Amino acid sequence: MSSVRPIPLVPSEVEGRVTGSEVRPSTTLGTSGGLDVGKRLYAGQRLRALRIRHALGQAAMAARLGVSVSYLSQLENDDRPLTSTVFAALGRQFPLDLDSLQGDDGARRFAAARTVLDDPLFGGALPDPQAIARLAEQQPELADRLIALHAAYRAAEERLQMLDETIDSGAEQGGRLPWDEIRDWFHQAGNYIDLLDRRAETLSGDLKGAPAEALAERLAAVYGVIVEELADADAATIRRFDASRRALMLGPALPPESRRFQLAWQLVALELGSEIAAIADAAALRTSEARRLLALGLTNYAAGALVMPYEAFRTAARLLRHDIDRLSRRFGVSFEQACHRLSTLQRPGARGIPFFFCRVDMAGNITKRHSATRLQFARFGGACPLWVVHEAAAIPDRVLVQLAETPDGVRYVSMAKGLVKPSGRYDRAPRRYAVALGCEAAHARDFIYADGLDIERGRAAPIGVSCRLCPRPDCDQRAFPPADRAIRIVPDRRDVVPYIIG
């Protein structure tokens, strides 16, 4: 990876000054000391809609925000503007709903600055909301530079981590396999490809949700493609397209959700082929194999966006509190497909929860990975052995939940489930693996799998990225010493780990 600059496929939120679809000229600090956007940020109707959407009465909503019922009533009736204190409370209690409330440049800057200053990098308590509001409103250029600097710092940290792992593993940075290049490309793109996502969403609307029958009909009517079933002897083949006969042949053992996905894949390959090719050709990849692999990945992405259109899926996910089984049934997709799609909901102005997602095989290899959170996965070797995903791989069809904490003090809620993909025949072993989905504890209220966990005071599993990058000196599960720390061997002392770190 030659650069840490983001790939320009998504509208930028920080470029000099924060940009957005509802930017207004300027912000000033109101006489009340609150967040004053334009004249002031009055959002009573949107605040009331948010409360109703979460099925909260005024007393319950007021308690969450730390205000009186009468004050909340004044806010909802636009008798008072949102102050920075109330806005900060809304950010804590309803982080997914800030986009619907902060449709203004100054409010976006305030929210972004607050997120930056909440990074464990700075340590200590978060500054008072009034101080952050003054920074955002009185020194907007300084705030924007702080936000951009923090984004660059995070990107540089990820880049350094990649280099550290590459060197420690003995691999050469210039010798990355095409598979690794594509993973890095999607990571830099934020796992969200705006052009393909919107085109697929439009196509899904035309097909009224894209059921399998509608997909097959579109293939036949527009492209003259017929759908056939492969012979049972071809059980190892999932999909094959014969361009000369215009025939799409699907494996006989495919479950309905996989069959539908393969129909969607073939349709977007034909409908969006030129757009996919243009993105792949423009990518800074070293080999033609990598570009072809990227085109395959982009087609997979577009197929997922077709069967799980962005806004409909995001709305349902919020309504169902990200219950993956219910989302799978509603959209006719597999458990893994729903998890993967949740990790791509990063459209500017309409973001979902920032999730991490990964798939781990029985040997502990990470075969899929993406993170929109501060948690990043190891590029070489397996995941932390204390992470619940390993236990899930050995216990199929059971959801396991874990509260975990990384060395920087950030807490995460993880959901993991072991899955089995049948082979369709006795003489071929089924594929066994586990998928994991998780978010930072700040979003626990909107993540059904966090119910029953004591997020603030409960015991959290002390996980790390990988043993070679984890600084914890007292982990009983450590397989290797940290790459950047010296070790001491004491012959007269034997602990669980046979050396002392540091």
Side-chain angles (χ1 to χ4, degrees), residues 161-169 377-380 466 469:
Q161 179 174 306
M162 288 180 181
L163 289 173
D164 282 347
E165 277 198 277
T166 301
I167 294 169
D168 190 58
S169 70
F377 296 107
R379 290 166 50 80
F380 301 96
S466 71
L469 297 174

Side-chain angles (χ1 to χ4, degrees), residues 182-201:
I182 302 313
R183 284 180 175 177
D184 291 345
W185 189 94
F186 273 101
H187 179 71
Q188 285 183 280
N191 210 29
Y192 173 74
I193 315 300
D194 190 70
L195 173 63
L196 298 183
D197 216 303
R198 292 183 186 275
R199 288 291 306 276
E201 187 174 28

Side-chain angles (χ1 to χ4, degrees), residues 30-44:
T31 56
S32 64
L35 186 65
D36 191 350
V37 183
K39 291 185 177 179
R40 282 186 186 180
L41 180 57
Y42 290 92

Side-chain angles (χ1 to χ4, degrees), residues 333-391:
V333 297
S334 70
F335 193 91
E336 179 184 347
Q337 289 167 355
C339 287
H340 198 167
R341 183 57 168 154
L342 285 172
S343 74
T344 70
L345 300 182
Q346 297 300 307
R347 179 178 292 176
R351 297 185 188 276
I353 285 180
F355 279 115
F356 60 77
F357 163 76
C358 79
R359 185 177 69 187
V360 176
D361 68 15
M362 294 295 289
N365 300 305
I366 300 176
T367 57
K368 281 186 181 180
R369 59 177 168 83
H370 171 69
S371 177
T373 72
R374 286 176 277 195
L375 175 67
Q376 299 301 322
F377 296 107
R379 290 166 50 80
F380 301 96
C384 174
L386 293 174
W387 197 18
V388 73
V389 69
H390 299 293
E391 184 179 352

Side-chain angles (χ1 to χ4, degrees), residues 216-225:
E217 289 172 6
R218 176 90 170 197
L219 283 167
V222 179
Y223 299 100
V225 173

Side-chain angles (χ1 to χ4, degrees), residues 16-18 24-30 33-38 41 83-85 87-88 102 104-117 127-147:
R17 290 194 178 204
V18 179
R24 297 177 189 172
S26 63
T27 61
T28 59
L29 189 66
L35 186 65
D36 191 350
V37 183
L41 180 57
T83 66
S84 56
T85 302
F87 194 79
Q102 62 180 32
D104 186 278
D105 192 17
R108 291 178 191 275
R109 182 179 290 113
F110 170 82
R114 186 182 183 280
T115 299
V116 167
L117 294 171
D128 183 82
Q130 299 287 350
I132 302 174
R134 285 193 292 272
L135 170 67
E137 295 164 13
Q138 296 178 351
Q139 299 289 337
E141 292 186 0
L142 180 60
D144 288 344
R145 293 191 177 209
L146 174 65
I147 295 164

